[in-house]
């Protein structure tokens, strides 16, 4: 790292990775993979996402492991970011992954059974 | 003429698309008709968020929030509220209504609303294995600013001005501590990140290490630049394998980009970071024991002074900061001390992360501005106590802290107020205790822990903690007297005042604070020989009430066969044989088994 400009360049290029701007930036799936998430079963959830996205060639979907957001009692937590809309799913299992992909990511309809509002007001 | 009411009509594009525009016309019409137009000011405002509930109309001075307003509602608002002063209840936005509405995202739920994220700003939002995501969130810009635009002295002044205090428990002002090390000349200095996190039940540091490891590296480097150190260590317990993995990867990526290494940002500042693994001993979180452990010695504390800032690792000036403290630093450097000072209270700036656990609905990590009340944390964020039980106390500070009783829940969370209440901030453990818990038993839990974790170097701690635990066991078994309680208190005070390090000095705190607030509960154990919480086995008896339906389940599950009775008849427990395991109570389908 030679200068602040180098850093800014990386920053500007990486912006896309963390924000969703415009319709064509795709869909971002965040899976909570801290110790609390992993012990609640986030690994098979993550693997399932990768597996299906790969199998079905869902090109505009990126899956990202992230840390803990503090809601450790209702892990595994999965967040789906589409445009500027964010949906938080909790207690996601492998069946839930299938439904989220089919109904939400492909079908465009939030899967009510797993949304955080079911567990927290 | 002075308007007596202001009506704000939300005119964000979302609301306009739902018909906010005609709302204004409706208001004009009805206010004119009622001849109060000149008394009311109509304002078109921008979006207030929460567009799901729009269009909004807000009426001041009361600040009444009307939601999902349609043109047909305006007549009623004008006639009832503005003309007669009666709020139209049925149109008021009711937060509770969201229960039936869709609540989709985390930041909409109550758990999140009173929180404020600084230390955990990136946790759960960026990929901790990808340095670019951290950089995208302005990562390493605080370091850049410090190295390029500020002298070490200015960095220290900025930290001091921000008011950040150590989050590892002591609450010592970080900038002031850095100043000590800065002023101690030496050919070599060190900075250490304390990621030992030994307080049972606390896991906020782990969450930060796993979710945002680069913030720790950046914080450590800023500290290094400030005091003149070129080497940093992260002391993390081996029981945190995921955190270690993330840290290793983060260090590797930062080295690849030249963010760790020589001549960072083209300046003459060079820095290296190494990880040191601890075996998971509570005492190794104490700074002098931690230093001994890194040096390859047995993890035992030593007398202070000299403080590590004067004589630390390998005898050189050393700064030790907690994980959460370090996570705050890049944000402070980048946004400035003044920005940080806007959150929190006068002497307690910023936020604190707590591990909320025990008898609480929403267990988890919460980050709140300092000065938030305990009640807000427990009820608004934590969702209260499960099963409609009453709250007895909140334990903060883990094995070094104390219990704060229900009547003090409205105190703001600050380093000083918690100490005044007989507890302490500690590293952030917060255990909620309900009415079915026994304070003697909880003391036993913590003392059991400190007996195990005492390093054994000084006698008050080594022997004292053991003796205190023995006394607690005597009280719990019903063999104690009032004198036992007095002796326990005397010993606790002695251990507190004469132990070598913070472990022993704080080990009696749970006992002292519980004796202070719940002495009657201790006395019940020795005088009435009862355990009010129904926990201490020697003092409780199981009985079957006539609610019994004779299902025989209890008898079948009793491990010592001490329950007799035939099918459809009231069962009884043979008290002389009962081992009080509670198995019968757990299986009874009609809650017929009680403890007395
Ligand atoms: C017995 C004992 C255990 C401690 N454990 C920790 C710990 O796990 N993590 C921590 O950061 N500080 C711990 N501390 C406090 C450290 O000694 C030290 O004050 C702290 O790391 C300083 O960092 P700060 O100024 O950023 O809070 C412990 C202290 C004692 C006496």
């Amino acid at each position: 790292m030679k200068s602040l400009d180098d850093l800014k360049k990386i920053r500007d290029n990486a912006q896309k990775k963390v924000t969703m701007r415009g319709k064509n930036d795709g869909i971002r799936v965040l899976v909570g993979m801290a110790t609390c998430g992993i012990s609640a079963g986030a690994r098979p959830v993550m693997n399932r996402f990768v597996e299906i996205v790969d199998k079905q060639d869902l090109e505009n979907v990126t899956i990202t492991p992230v840390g803990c957001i503090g809601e450790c009692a209702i892990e595994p937590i999965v967040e789906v970011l589409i445009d500027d809309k964010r949906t938080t799913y909790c207690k996601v299992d492998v069946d839930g992954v299938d439904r989220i992909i089919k109904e939400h990511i492909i079908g465009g309809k939030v899967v009510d059974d797993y949304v955080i509002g079911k567990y927290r007001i | 003429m002075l308007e007596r009411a202001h009506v704000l009509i939300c005119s964000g594009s979302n609301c306009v698309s739902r018909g906010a525009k005609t709302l204004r016309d409706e208001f004009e019409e009805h206010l004119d008709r009622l001849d109060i137009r000149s008394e009311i000011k109509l304002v078109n405002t921008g979006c207030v968020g929460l567009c799901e509930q729009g269009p909004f109309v807000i009426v001041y001075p009361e600040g009444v929030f009307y939601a999902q307003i349609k043109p047909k509602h305006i007549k009623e608002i004008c006639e009832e509220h503005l003309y007669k002063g009666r709020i139209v209840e049925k149109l008021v936005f009711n937060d509770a209504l969201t229960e039936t509405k869709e609540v989709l995202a985390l930041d909409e739920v109550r758990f999140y609303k009173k929180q404020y994220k600084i230390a955990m700003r990136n946790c759960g939002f960026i990929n901790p294995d990808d340095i670019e995501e951290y950089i995208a969130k302005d990562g390493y810009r605080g370091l850049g600013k410090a190295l390029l635009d500020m002298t070490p002295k200015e960095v220290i002044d900025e930290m001091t001005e921000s008011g950040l205090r150590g989050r590892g428990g002591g609450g010592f002002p970080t900038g002031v501590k850095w100043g000590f090390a800065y002023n101690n000349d030496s050919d070599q200095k060190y900075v250490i990140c304390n990621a030992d996190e030994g307080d049972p039940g606390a896991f906020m540091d782990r969450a930060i290490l796993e979710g945002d490891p680069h913030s720790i590296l950046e914080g450590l480097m800023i500290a290094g630049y400030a005091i003149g150190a070129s080497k940093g260590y992260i002391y993390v317990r081996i029981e945190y394998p995921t955190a270690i993995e993330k840290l290793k990867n983060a260090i590797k990526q930062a080295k690849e980009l030249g963010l760790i290494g020589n001549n960072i940002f083209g300046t003459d500042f060079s820095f290296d970071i190494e990880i040191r693994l601890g075996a998971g001993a509570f005492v190794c979180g104490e700074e002098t024991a931690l230093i001994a452990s890194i040096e390859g010695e047995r993890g035992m504390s030593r007398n202070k002074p000299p403080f590590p800032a004067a004589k630390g690792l390998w005898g050189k000036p050393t700064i030790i900061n907690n994980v959460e403290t370090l996570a705050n630093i890049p944000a402070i450097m980048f946004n400035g001390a003044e920005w940080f000072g806007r959150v929190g209270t006068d002497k307690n700036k910023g936020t604190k992360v707590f591990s909320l656990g025990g008898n609480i609905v929403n267990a988890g990590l919460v980050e709140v501005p300092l000065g938030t009340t305990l009640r807000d944390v427990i009820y608004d964020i934590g969702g209260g106590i499960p099963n409609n039980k009453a709250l007895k106390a909140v334990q903060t500070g883990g094995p070094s802290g104390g219990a704060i009783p229900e009547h003090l829940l409205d105190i703001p969370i600050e380093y000083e107020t918690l100490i005044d209440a007989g507890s302490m901030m500690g590293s952030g453990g917060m255990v909620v205790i309900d009415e079915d818990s026994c304070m003697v038993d909880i003391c036993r839990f913590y003392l059991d822990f400190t007996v195990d974790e005492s390093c054994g170097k000084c006698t008050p701690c080594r022997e004292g903690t053991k003796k205190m635990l023995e006394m607690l066991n005597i009280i719990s078994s019903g063999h104690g007297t009032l004198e036992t309680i007095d002796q326990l208190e005397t010993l606790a005070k002695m251990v507190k005042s004469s132990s070598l390090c913070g472990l022993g000095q704080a080990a009696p705190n749970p006992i002292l604070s519980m004796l202070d607030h719940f002495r009657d509960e201790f006395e019940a154990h020795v005088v009435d020989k009862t355990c009010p919480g129904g926990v201490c086995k020697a003092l409780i008896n199981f009985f079957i009430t006539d609610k019994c339906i004779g299902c025989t389940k209890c008898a079948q599950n009793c491990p010592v066969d001490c329950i007799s009775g035939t099918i459809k008849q009231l069962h009884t427990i043979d008290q002389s044989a009962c081992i009080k395991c509670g198995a019968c109570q757990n299986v009874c389908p009609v809650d017929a088994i009680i403890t007395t």
Side-chain angles (χ1 to χ4, degrees):
Chain A
M1 192 65 49
K2 285 285 156 278
S3 70
L4 212 50
D5 283 339
D6 293 349
L7 186 73
K8 282 199 181 116
K9 247 178 248 149
I10 299 176
R11 173 175 178 270
D12 294 341
N13 287 334
Q15 277 298 310
K16 260 204 178 146
K17 286 191 176 175
V18 289
T19 47
M20 310 303 305
R21 288 171 307 185
K23 286 250 184 299
N24 301 322
D25 280 353
I27 295 172
R28 194 161 188 243
V29 178
L30 310 178
V31 184
M33 291 279 278
T35 294
C36 43
I38 292 171
S39 62
R43 248 194 243 288
V45 166
M46 174 90 184
N47 292 345
R48 185 74 174 177
F49 267 113
V50 175
E51 185 191 325
I52 304 193
V53 165
D54 186 44
K55 222 191 295 177
Q56 306 198 358
D57 247 351
L58 302 174
E59 268 181 15
N60 64 336
V61 180
T62 52
I63 300 150
T64 310
V66 296
C68 164
I69 44 177
E71 278 278 19
C72 311
I74 50 176
E75 299 264 12
I77 288 188
V78 170
E79 295 205 284
V80 178
L81 278 69
I82 304 181
D83 299 332
D84 54 2
K85 190 164 160 79
R86 176 164 155 219
T87 311
T88 309
Y89 290 112
C90 347
K91 296 203 178 180
V92 178
D93 48 14
V94 171
D95 290 344
V97 175
D98 294 359
R99 287 192 57 194
I100 291 169
I101 293 190
K102 191 158 152 245
E103 296 170 31
H104 187 175
I105 294 179
I106 298 175
K109 198 180 162 308
V110 171
V111 187
D112 284 345
D113 292 345
Y114 289 94
V115 292
I116 193 163
K118 286 263 177 224
Y119 301 91
R120 301 273 192 270
I121 303 166
Chain B
M1 170 170 186
L2 200 71
E3 293 97 348
R4 66 176 167 85
H6 287 197
V7 176
L8 274 52
I9 306 164
C10 176
S11 310
S13 48
N14 266 329
C15 284
V16 169
S17 69
R18 286 164 187 241
K21 206 159 186 185
T22 53
L23 296 183
R24 184 171 179 118
D25 301 335
E26 287 283 328
F27 268 113
E28 300 274 6
E29 180 192 327
H30 291 291
L31 293 177
D32 262 331
R33 182 172 55 80
L34 296 167
D35 203 17
I36 52 172
R37 177 65 188 92
S38 59
E39 299 168 43
I40 314 284
K41 181 168 180 176
L42 292 176
V43 187
N44 286 57
T45 66
C47 180
V48 295
L50 268 171
C51 303
E52 270 307 306
Q53 296 281 336
F56 282 107
V57 169
I58 306 167
V59 181
Y60 284 105
E62 301 97 320
V64 175
F65 220 74
Y66 292 112
Q68 295 189 318
I69 296 302
K70 306 218 160 46
K72 62 173 187 208
H73 296 136
I74 303 299
K75 179 165 181 272
E76 202 174 353
I77 293 177
C78 289
E79 287 177 1
E80 287 295 309
H81 190 159
L82 296 173
Y83 192 66
K84 298 180 189 153
R86 291 199 289 242
I87 292 168
V88 189
E89 297 274 17
K90 65 173 190 215
L91 297 177
V92 174
F93 174 60
N94 184 350
D95 202 16
L97 286 180
T98 50
E99 204 168 338
T100 54
K101 300 213 52 89
E102 359 164 44
V103 178
L104 296 182
L106 181 80
D107 39 17
E108 291 169 30
V109 301
R110 208 176 294 162
F111 181 77
Y112 212 77
K113 268 189 196 148
K114 288 208 171 166
Q115 299 199 45
Y116 192 99
K117 305 253 175 183
I118 297 178
M120 289 185 67
R121 61 195 176 280
N122 291 327
C123 293
F125 299 104
I126 64 167
N127 180 351
D129 285 325
D130 186 353
I131 190 171
E132 290 190 1
E133 296 206 6
Y134 179 69
I135 292 173
K137 289 281 190 184
D138 293 323
Y140 290 108
R141 288 182 77 181
L143 175 69
K145 186 171 157 189
L147 295 188
L148 296 168
D149 301 342
M150 298 166 84
T151 65
K153 186 84 187 40
E154 283 168 348
V155 172
I156 291 172
D157 290 345
E158 187 82 12
M159 286 315 300
T160 309
E161 197 195 317
S162 76
L164 176 68
R165 298 169 63 170
R167 300 293 189 240
F172 195 81
T174 305
V176 176
K177 189 154 93 177
W178 289 7
F180 294 150
Y182 172 84
N183 287 327
N184 287 322
D185 273 336
S186 174
D187 54 338
Q188 178 70 55
K189 300 179 189 178
Y190 296 101
V191 287
I192 299 175
C193 165
N194 188 344
D196 190 58
E197 194 158 54
D199 174 354
F203 52 98
M204 52 271 143
D205 290 352
R206 191 188 71 201
I208 296 172
L209 294 166
E210 291 177 354
D212 196 14
H214 285 286
S215 67
I216 306 305
L217 305 186
E218 190 182 352
L220 209 49
M221 283 195 269
I222 294 171
Y225 174 70
I227 69 160
S230 60
K231 175 113 196 173
Y233 289 93
I234 301 175
Y235 186 85
V236 53
R237 56 175 52 217
I238 200 155
E239 287 149 331
Y240 281 0
T242 311
I244 295 166
E245 180 200 316
K246 304 286 172 205
L247 280 172
K248 280 189 177 154
N249 187 48
I251 293 174
K252 185 168 144 271
Q253 292 189 350
K255 280 187 176 163
E256 279 164 12
L257 284 185
L259 283 162
I260 298 177
N262 292 329
N263 305 102
I264 300 165
F265 287 120
T267 64
D268 52 15
F269 177 68
S270 302
F271 200 78
D272 189 33
I273 297 181
E274 270 186 58
I275 298 175
R276 282 287 180 274
L277 302 181
F282 183 51
V283 73
C284 286
E286 196 282 330
E287 45 194 17
T288 59
L290 188 155
I291 287 171
S293 175
I294 292 186
E295 288 172 342
E297 301 292 324
R298 195 169 152 177
M300 292 214 247
S301 24
R302 61 157 174 80
N303 262 322
K304 293 189 277 192
F307 287 93
K311 237 172 152 53
L313 188 60
W314 320 115
K316 305 290 184 188
T318 303
I319 283 300
I320 300 184
N321 274 130
N322 164 263
V323 169
E324 192 187 329
T325 313
L326 290 172
N328 276 291
I329 287 166
I332 297 174
M333 276 331 287
F334 180 61
N335 298 302
E338 194 265 336
W339 165 84
F340 187 73
R342 275 184 240 154
V343 184
T345 62
D346 211 20
K347 282 200 179 124
N348 288 254
K349 304 281 192 223
T351 60
K352 178 79 194 84
V353 185
F354 290 99
S355 312
L356 196 54
N359 306 116
I360 185 95
V361 174
N362 302 343
L365 292 179
V366 301
E367 180 169 356
V368 290
L370 287 164
T372 308
T373 66
L374 285 163
R375 195 180 296 283
D376 274 353
V377 172
I378 293 165
Y379 287 94
D380 280 359
I381 300 174
I385 323 295
N387 308 321
N388 290 321
K389 291 263 169 19
L391 179 141
K392 191 189 268 183
V394 198
Q395 223 279 345
T396 65
S400 314
I404 298 166
E406 139 81 30
H407 72 267
L408 292 176
L409 283 194
D410 290 309
I411 59 169
I413 299 172
E414 291 176 336
Y415 288 93
E416 291 76 17
T417 52
L418 293 184
I419 288 172
D420 290 345
S423 186
M424 65 184 246
M425 183 79 82
S427 61
M430 190 179 277
V431 181
V432 180
I433 301 169
D434 76 8
E435 57 188 329
D436 286 348
S437 312
C438 167
M439 294 317 209
V440 177
D441 193 61
I442 290 172
C443 286
R444 282 174 65 204
F445 168 81
Y446 282 120
L447 261 292
D448 198 43
F449 177 83
T450 36
V451 168
D452 272 355
E453 298 293 338
S454 170
C455 79
K457 183 170 180 174
C458 74
T459 314
C461 175
R462 182 184 66 238
E463 302 299 329
T465 51
K466 222 179 167 115
K467 270 278 172 272
M468 289 190 289
L469 179 60
E470 276 171 27
M471 289 173 174
L472 287 167
N473 285 338
I474 290 171
I475 295 170
S476 157
S477 68
H479 297 304
T481 60
L482 285 173
E483 209 189 340
T484 320
I485 298 179
D486 291 339
Q487 285 170 346
L488 176 64
E489 193 168 22
T490 311
L491 180 60
K493 284 180 180 155
M494 194 147 76
V495 172
K496 189 179 166 87
S497 60
S498 57
S499 288
L500 172 70
C501 83
L503 194 152
Q505 288 158 12
N509 283 352
I511 295 175
L512 289 169
S513 91
M514 303 250 192
L515 277 177
D516 199 20
H517 294 300
F518 300 97
R519 199 180 190 97
D520 51 342
E521 220 174 281
F522 283 71
E523 287 172 355
H525 284 75
V526 298
V527 178
D528 311 330
K529 308 290 178 196
T530 59
C531 173
V535 174
C536 295
K537 290 235 150 77
L539 300 178
I540 55 173
N541 289 307
F542 286 82
F543 283 106
I544 303 181
T545 63
D546 49 15
K547 264 178 151 180
C548 173
I549 53 170
C551 71
T552 74
K553 258 200 180 142
C554 54
Q556 286 170 33
N557 280 282
C558 175
V560 291
D561 285 331
C562 75
I563 303 181
S564 54
T566 46
I567 193 153
K568 301 218 168 124
Q569 300 295 314
L570 180 70
H571 283 49
T572 48
I573 298 175
D574 176 359
Q575 297 298 336
S576 63
C578 175
I579 56 165
K580 298 164 190 176
C581 67
C584 52
Q585 199 173 31
N586 291 338
V587 295
C588 179
V590 293
D591 292 336
I593 301 176
I594 57 162
T595 51
T596 54

